[in-house]
Amino acid sequence: MELGTFFTEVYQTEKQLRPRSVQQLQITIRLFERWHGKPIALADLSAPLLNRWLMESEGVVAPKTIRNRRGDILAIWRYAAEEHGLCQPPIDRRIRAVSVQRNIPEAWTLEEMKLLIAAAKNVPGYYQCGVKCADWWECFIRVGYDTALRLSDLLALPVYIGGMFCVVQEKTQNAITCQLRQTTIEALARMREPKRSLLFEWNMDRTALWRHWKDFILTPAGLKTGHREGPQKLRRTSVSHLAAISEHAAQRHLGHNTPGLARRHYIDPNIADGPRQLPPEIG
């Protein structure tokens, strides 16, 4: 059986995958087979084959992307071997490691958050759902900051949420209770009409969401517009400021079960920890 066929007919049907995960795995398989020049049979999977692809990808795509593609192929390969006996399992120590430089999480300061809110209040026009763009973006920023929800969970919120509500997170399927402060509840009140099912109804694709965020919010606020400055930074900002008060509360705020994950990927040390104390003056 070929790798792509196994994924479509077996792996995808037996594993609970999000649509975006299915799409990413399909892309990885297509790229691997395009590099190989023909479909890859499960029986032909080997450490040398995968290692050559990883090596030739270096300098062409980002290390993080290479690491993700490595993980995609190994996950399918391992499942085919261990669950279905269709090939020999991979030997991890023989698979080329991919080193990825760790990025220190960055969050917005409270002053920068005020700039984001000010920019949001000045966005002109209405969205297709009938909500003023200014109200949409101000509420989006305030709810995102209060809750630290992922973008997919923010966009799935129903219109009628209160000051405290429960969300089943799309990524983990874990339930998490969120609380909103009074200023956010007031912004929420301006979003009640017109009637619709979703609070942040969005009739365009995610690319358009990023473009509007950049053009209407980041640029007028005078803030950086790089790929790490998207709405997901609201999540890092929320948890970083909370971590300055209690790191345990910050981990709970994210809905994480794994200790250390918040510190490694979300908490901005400049905000949560502040500068290190200097040693005594030399004189």
Side-chain angles (χ1 to χ4, degrees):
M1 183 179 287
E2 294 174 355
L3 178 64
T5 303
F6 175 78
F7 173 77
T8 302
E9 297 183 359
V10 182
Y11 191 88
Q12 182 179 346
T13 61
E14 295 183 1
K15 305 283 282 186
Q16 290 187 336
L17 301 172
R18 294 182 296 162
R20 290 171 64 188
S21 298
V22 171
Q23 184 181 35
Q24 184 56 57
L25 287 163
Q26 289 173 331
I27 291 172
T28 298
I29 293 170
R30 186 164 61 249
L31 291 172
F32 190 21
E33 294 189 327
R34 182 185 301 169
W35 167 84
H36 187 54
K38 60 181 179 180
I40 299 172
L42 290 173
D44 292 336
L45 286 171
S46 66
L49 179 67
L50 180 55
N51 287 340
R52 286 199 305 274
W53 183 47
L54 298 176
M55 286 179 63
E56 292 183 23
S57 299
E58 293 174 1
V60 180
V61 295
K64 185 177 180 181
T65 301
I66 298 174
R67 184 183 64 181
N68 290 342
R69 291 175 182 173
R70 174 187 187 273
D72 290 345
I73 297 300
L74 285 177
I76 302 169
W77 180 0
R78 189 172 289 112
Y79 193 80
E82 297 176 356
E83 297 296 328
H84 292 273
L86 296 174
C87 55
Q88 292 297 313
I91 301 174
D92 288 350
R93 68 176 183 275
R94 294 185 57 198
I95 305 299
R96 185 179 182 84
V98 180
S99 178
V100 178
Q101 182 178 355
R102 179 186 172 188
N103 290 316
I104 298 175
E106 292 184 5
W108 286 301
T109 64
L110 294 181
E111 289 304 314
E112 289 171 329
M113 287 297 296
K114 291 176 183 178
L115 293 174
L116 293 175
I117 292 292
K121 289 181 176 181
N122 288 321
V123 180
Y126 287 78
Y127 279 125
Q128 189 175 335
C129 63
V131 176
K132 289 176 64 176
C133 298
D135 291 342
W136 198 101
W137 281 111
E138 181 185 354
C139 192
F140 179 85
I141 293 168
R142 291 189 182 279
V143 174
Y145 176 73
D146 284 359
T147 64
L149 288 174
R150 295 178 180 88
L151 178 59
S152 58
D153 294 326
L154 280 174
L155 294 177
L157 287 177
V159 170
Y160 295 103
I161 57 173
M164 184 175 292
F165 58 95
C166 189
V167 172
V168 176
Q169 300 172 94
E170 181 196 31
K171 183 175 182 178
T172 64
Q173 290 300 298
N174 292 333
I176 186 171
T177 300
C178 302
Q179 185 173 355
L180 303 178
R181 68 188 75 244
Q182 185 58 37
T183 48
T184 304
I185 294 173
E186 292 169 3
L188 194 65
R190 298 192 292 273
M191 291 276 289
R192 295 299 189 199
E193 300 295 336
K195 295 187 182 301
R196 60 199 187 282
S197 58
L198 298 178
L199 177 61
F200 300 114
E201 186 171 301
W202 187 257
N203 302 110
M204 294 172 275
D205 58 23
R206 292 288 182 89
T207 302
L209 181 70
W210 163 248
R211 188 173 65 251
H212 284 216
W213 173 258
K214 176 184 176 183
D215 293 345
F216 300 153
I217 307 298
L218 293 180
T219 300
L223 300 177
K224 294 185 295 184
T225 59
H227 73 281
R228 290 177 57 81
E229 308 302 315
Q232 74 276 2
K233 193 170 178 176
L234 290 171
R235 182 167 162 85
R236 298 198 299 273
T237 300
S238 176
V239 74
S240 294
H241 287 283
L242 186 56
I245 303 169
S246 166
E247 190 154 336
H248 174 72
Q251 179 182 322
R252 185 167 178 264
H253 190 50
L254 287 172
H256 283 174
N257 296 323
T258 306
L261 196 61
R263 172 62 67 172
R264 183 172 180 83
H265 296 290
Y266 291 92
I267 296 175
D268 184 337
N270 291 316
I271 291 173
D273 305 331
R276 295 165 58 193
Q277 184 175 344
L278 286 170
E281 176 67 57
I282 297 173

